[in-house]
């Protein structure tokens, strides 16, 4: 996740003050020094850092905080609220034209992930608003950009209007007429991306804006460019008056500076974030949720949204009933793997849950391809074996046949058997808990993973399939 290094540094600074019965001004100064270094290392704009620190200190050193109950927690809340303010206070979605076609113009430098972001935006609009979407390929300076958009369009089932490498203004004009004739609801225009901002590029974008009269001008910004992203955003905004930004590559090895600098420096709100390779790895940017993630508070709302999209309610209920009645089998485990895959990587899912920081670190060491390996093992079983796991438990011949058929070892199959057993044990443990224990579990979900002491694996590839 983009905020990883920033997140770990800030959390460390917060940990030093939480839980203390009282705080002095010196304690606040020491914490602020750590916070300042964390932000600068994350490549947050210097002016933003200065204002951020001043705002927090002004609120934190008041008598009400220093002498109040749980002063550390109150300071953490001040830092959270300031992070949220810097990133834009509230989430902003697309402003749709209710009576006519909604036109969205996308702008950005080459390499910012603009064309891919357009594909993701199209999928998002179609899914969230049930609207008919058309792409217009008007990036005529890079032939590969048109081919890329056409390929993405075919992949996701969205039509692309293109006329090759002719004047972009003509393409946009004709494309908009085509959209009206064919009753499209939303048009997304892919405009020229350059390696740098130049006068000719800007003039063309200004001309396209006058022709299209867009409802939204969305700037795609590479999160890996740090505070440079904010300066690029300002240059575009000054001449085109962008209405929002799409922060791309938010899952890359980036320090988080772009997310904290763009709104404050350029005035452009971050509307969406793109955080993965898949076409559905695209979401509305929620400043409050991002602030919570950065401070290690989790993001339960986003997790619930992802789970709702990925999990069929009836199927989930059926799975729960099976776990409770001890009839959970390999077919159910396979369904579970598919649900997890839809929601993203295991470490990403755990990152949304409060109090799961350490488990998330351990999970990041688990290769998500292990789920695919386990799926291959399950598909190598007969239907009877999938439905009745005891058949495999009782027969070494069956275990050898399944392992051979999947191209894996019996040891790997045994780890899959342990995974199934662990699921059942966890459910039994939760069923035997009283109300007080369940409440404690909700505050510290890691308890559910403690199934007593496990024997350490021996030999090659020990400990695979486990989250420790």
């Amino acid at each position: 996740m983009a905020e990883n290094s920033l997140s770990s540094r800030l959390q460390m600074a917060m940990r030093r003050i939480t839980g203390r019965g009282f705080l002095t001004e010196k304690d606040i100064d020491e914490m602020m020094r750590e916070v300042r270094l964390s932000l600068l290392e994350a490549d947050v704009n210097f002016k933003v850092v200065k204002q951020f620190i001043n705002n927090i200190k002004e609120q934190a050193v008041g008598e009400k905080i220093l002498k109040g109950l749980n002063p550390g927690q109150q300071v953490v809340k001040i830092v959270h609220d300031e992070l949220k303010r810097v990133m834009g206070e509230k989430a902003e979605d697309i402003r749709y034209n209710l009576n006519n076609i909604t036109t969205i113009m996308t702008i950005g430098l080459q390499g910012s992930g603009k064309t891919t972001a357009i594909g993701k935006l199209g999928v998002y609009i179609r899914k969230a608003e049930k609207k008919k979407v058309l792409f217009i390929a008007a990036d005529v300076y890079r032939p590969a950009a048109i081919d890329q958009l056409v390929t993405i369009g075919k992949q996701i089932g969205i039509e692309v209007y293109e006329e090759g490498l002719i004047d972009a203004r003509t393409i946009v004009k004709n494309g908009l007429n085509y959209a009206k004739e064919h009753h499209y609801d939303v048009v997304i225009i892919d405009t020229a991306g350059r390696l740098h901002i130049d006068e000719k590029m800007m003039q063309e974008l200004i001309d396209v804006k006058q022709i299209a009269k867009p409802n939204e001008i969305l700037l795609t910004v590479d999160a890996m460019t740090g505070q440079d992203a904010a300066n690029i955003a300002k240059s575009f905004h000054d001449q085109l008056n962008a209405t929002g930004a799409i922060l791309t590559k938010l899952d890359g090895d980036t320090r988080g500076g772009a997310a904290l600098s763009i709104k404050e420096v350029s005035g452009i709100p971050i509307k969406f974030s793109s955080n993965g390779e898949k076409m559905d790895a695209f979401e509305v940017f929620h400043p409050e949720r991002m602030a919570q993630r950065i401070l290690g508070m989790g993001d339960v709302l986003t997790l619930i949204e992802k789970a709702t999209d990925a999990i069929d309610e009836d199927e989930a209920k059926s799975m729960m009933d099976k776990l409770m009645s001890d009839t959970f089998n390999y077919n159910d485990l396979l369904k579970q793997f598919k649900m997890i895959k839809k929601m993203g990587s295991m470490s990403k899912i755990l990152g949304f849950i409060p109090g799961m920081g350490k488990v998330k670190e351990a999970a990041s060491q688990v290769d998500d391809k292990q789920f695919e390996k386990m799926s291959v093992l399950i598909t190598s079983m007969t239907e009877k074996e999938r439905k009745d796991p005891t058949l495999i438990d009782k027969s070494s011949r069956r275990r050898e046949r399944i392992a051979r058929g999947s191209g894996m070892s019996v040891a790997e199959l045994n780890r899959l058997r342990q995974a199934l057993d662990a699921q059942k044990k966890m459910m039994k443990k939760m069923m035997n808990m009283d109300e007080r224990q369940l409440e404690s579990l909700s505050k510290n979900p890691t308890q559910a993973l403690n199934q007593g002491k496990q024997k350490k694996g021996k030999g090659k590839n020990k400990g695979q399939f486990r989250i420790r």
Side-chain angles (χ1 to χ4, degrees), residues 347 359-368 370 466:
S347 60
V359 182
K360 182 188 173 185
E361 284 170 31
S364 67
Q365 303 303 312
V366 177
D367 186 353
D368 283 303
Q370 297 295 353
R466 296 180 193 162

Side-chain angles (χ1 to χ4, degrees), residues 269-288:
I270 303 171
K271 291 203 171 189
F272 299 98
S273 62
S274 169
N275 52 12
E277 292 176 12
K278 293 179 183 175
M279 280 294 141
D280 58 356
F282 188 86
E283 57 191 33
V284 173
F285 185 85
H286 293 268
E288 180 164 16

Side-chain angles (χ1 to χ4, degrees), residues 305-338:
E305 284 171 8
K306 285 184 178 291
T308 304
D309 285 344
I311 298 169
D312 178 86
E313 196 176 332
D314 293 334
E315 211 166 73
K317 189 176 181 300
S318 165
M319 212 175 279
M320 189 61 71
D321 290 341
K322 284 189 168 191
L323 274 165
M324 291 169 77
S325 62
D326 206 21
T327 56
F328 191 78
N329 58 39
Y330 287 112
N331 282 329
D332 302 311
L333 196 62
L334 190 61
K335 284 177 188 173
Q336 204 171 68
F337 295 156
K338 285 175 182 173

Side-chain angles (χ1 to χ4, degrees), residues 2 29 61 66 134 179 200 233 264-265 275 320 387 404 433:
D29 283 339
V61 296
L66 294 182
L134 174 73
K200 186 183 174 189
E264 198 83 336
V265 173
N275 52 12
M320 189 61 71
K387 285 180 178 176
R404 200 165 51 246
M433 285 181 178

